[in-house]
Amino acid sequence: CSSDLPNSPYAASKAASLLFSRFAFQNYQLPIVMLIPFMVYGPRQNRAMLISQAITSALAGEDFEMTMGEQVREINYVSDIVEGIIRAAVASDIVGEMINLCSGERLTVNEIVTKIMDLMGNPVPVKKGALPYREVEIMKHFGDNAKAKKLLDYQVKTPVEVGLRKTIEYFRANYKNEPGR
């Protein structure tokens, strides 16, 4: 992942919480473990997020407008992240550790959207380049899961296509009943 300084208030607040947690562990011996989940998706995800936004645009029959999609991300199905949290909660000898919960699998935003649309039968046009990159766009954001494997015997089990399929099925079944519609 990027070693640059935070470039938004959200990123700064995440970095500050990790620094404060490390401070509390080192100075007050609080039993803290810092878990860093990477781009979590699945049923009930906020509709403003990339994956749910692409799915709901397709369900609504609306063209999906996006950037050129060159950003590199990794996506992790929610049940895999929950398993990592549970493993950390019951693990011994990990107090003070900072552990990424991630797959390490890298995809571009364009590849993610293409997979979603392919799984849905390509119901709407994808308009790449219709949106500009955000001013504070992070072009590469992914993690290293080696520490999670070593300390928690953890690795993501849900293949991207399976997780996307489950998420699509959820939104298809609940599209009209979900908040925001």
Side-chain angles (χ1 to χ4, degrees), residues 147-167:
K147 192 183 276 190
K149 282 182 182 178
K150 179 182 176 188
L151 298 177
L152 304 175
D153 190 27
Y154 167 83
Q155 61 186 42
V156 167
K157 294 178 184 168
T158 308
V160 169
E161 287 80 11
V162 172
L164 288 175
R165 193 171 281 116
K166 288 179 180 181
T167 305

Side-chain angles (χ1 to χ4, degrees), residues 11-47:
S13 69
K14 285 173 46 176
S17 69
L18 288 172
L19 285 172
F20 185 79
S21 295
R22 182 163 279 171
F23 166 82
F25 166 71
Q26 291 174 340
N27 292 288
Y28 301 110
Q29 292 71 48
L30 294 177
I32 293 173
V33 176
M34 295 155 278
L35 301 175
I36 305 167
F38 281 74
M39 200 164 165
V40 183
Y41 73 98
R44 298 179 186 262
Q45 183 182 35
N46 182 315
R47 288 192 179 192

Side-chain angles (χ1 to χ4, degrees), residues 55-130:
I55 294 168
T56 56
S57 288
L59 291 172
E62 299 168 354
D63 295 356
F64 185 68
E65 294 184 348
M66 60 180 278
T67 65
M68 287 303 293
E70 299 161 314
Q71 311 93 308
V72 178
R73 300 289 186 265
E74 70 168 83
I75 59 175
N76 298 281
Y77 192 65
V78 64
S79 62
D80 288 324
I81 298 302
V82 169
E83 181 182 336
I85 293 168
I86 291 169
R87 285 176 179 259
V90 299
S92 58
D93 299 327
I94 65 166
V95 172
E97 293 288 348
M98 186 180 311
I99 303 170
N100 292 335
L101 297 179
C102 58
S103 65
E105 182 179 349
R106 301 168 188 181
L107 297 167
T108 65
V109 165
N110 186 50
E111 290 170 325
I112 295 166
V113 171
T114 298
K115 284 179 187 291
I116 291 167
M117 294 303 168
D118 286 349
L119 289 168
M120 296 184 75
N122 295 301
V124 296
V126 174
K127 296 191 172 183
K128 288 193 299 186

